[in-house]
C-alpha cells in the first residue's frame, strides 16, 4: 500500500490564517530532514480532511508535494490543531523524514 499524497503550496507572505480558512485553505508547515528551514504552506482544506479521516498523528507517513519549491518527500503528520468541539481544522504540521529510515 502506498502512502497517501497531499499537494501543498507556499503560503502567501502576510496572509492571515482566518482569511485562508475562509478561502478553503488550511495553514500548514513542514520541517525536519532535508528541509533547509521550516516552510509555511497551505493545503486544500477538503484534501486535508479526507487525509485525516484515516491518518493517525505521529504514525501516518504521507507523501508531501510542494511544486513551487520543487520539493517532494515523505513526512509524518506531526500535529493537527482543530476546534475543540466543532472539529474544524485550524492547522497541520508535517515532519519530513528520511525515506531510508522508514
Amino acid at each position: 500500500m502506498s502512502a497517501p499524497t497531499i499537494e501543498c503550496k507556499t503560503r502567501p507572505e502576510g496572509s492571515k490564517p482566518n482569511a485562508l480558512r475562509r478561502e478553503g485553505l488550511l495553514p500548514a508547515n513542514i520541517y525536519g530532514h532535508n528541509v533547509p528551514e521550516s516552510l509555511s504552506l497551505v493545503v486544500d482544506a477538503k484534501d486535508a480532511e479526507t487525509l485525516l479521516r484515516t491518518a493517525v498523528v505521529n504514525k501516518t507517513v504521507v507523501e508531501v508535494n510542494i511544486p513551487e519549491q520543487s520539493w517532494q518527500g515523505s513526512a509524518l503528520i506531526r500535529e493537527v490543531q482543530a476546534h475543540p468541539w466543532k472539529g474544524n481544522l485550524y492547522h497541520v504540521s508535517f515532519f519530513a523524514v528520511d525515506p531510508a529510515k522508514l
Side-chain angles (χ1 to χ4, degrees):
M1 184 174 120
S2 65
T5 301
I6 190 151
E7 187 92 12
C8 299
K9 294 180 182 165
T10 304
R11 184 172 162 182
E13 190 75 30
S15 60
K16 304 250 187 273
N18 285 335
L20 292 170
R21 290 184 197 106
R22 281 192 297 271
E23 294 173 21
L25 299 172
L26 184 65
N29 70 336
I30 188 166
Y31 55 94
H33 174 78
N34 210 14
V35 178
E37 57 190 55
S38 178
L39 296 175
S40 294
L41 308 169
V42 292
V43 297
D44 184 85
K46 298 245 186 267
D47 291 348
E49 288 169 12
T50 302
L51 174 69
L52 293 171
R53 281 189 200 120
T54 57
V56 178
V57 174
N58 285 324
K59 291 192 190 283
T60 304
V61 175
V62 297
E63 286 298 312
V64 177
N65 186 14
I66 311 168
E68 298 157 318
Q69 299 283 331
S70 298
W71 192 91
Q72 182 173 1
S74 300
L76 188 66
I77 299 173
R78 180 60 96 192
E79 180 184 22
V80 176
Q81 296 175 3
H83 190 278
W85 69 85
K86 292 181 184 176
N88 300 354
L89 294 177
Y90 286 152
H91 189 273
V92 178
S93 293
F94 298 102
F95 182 79
V97 293
D98 183 353
K101 296 184 179 180
L102 289 178

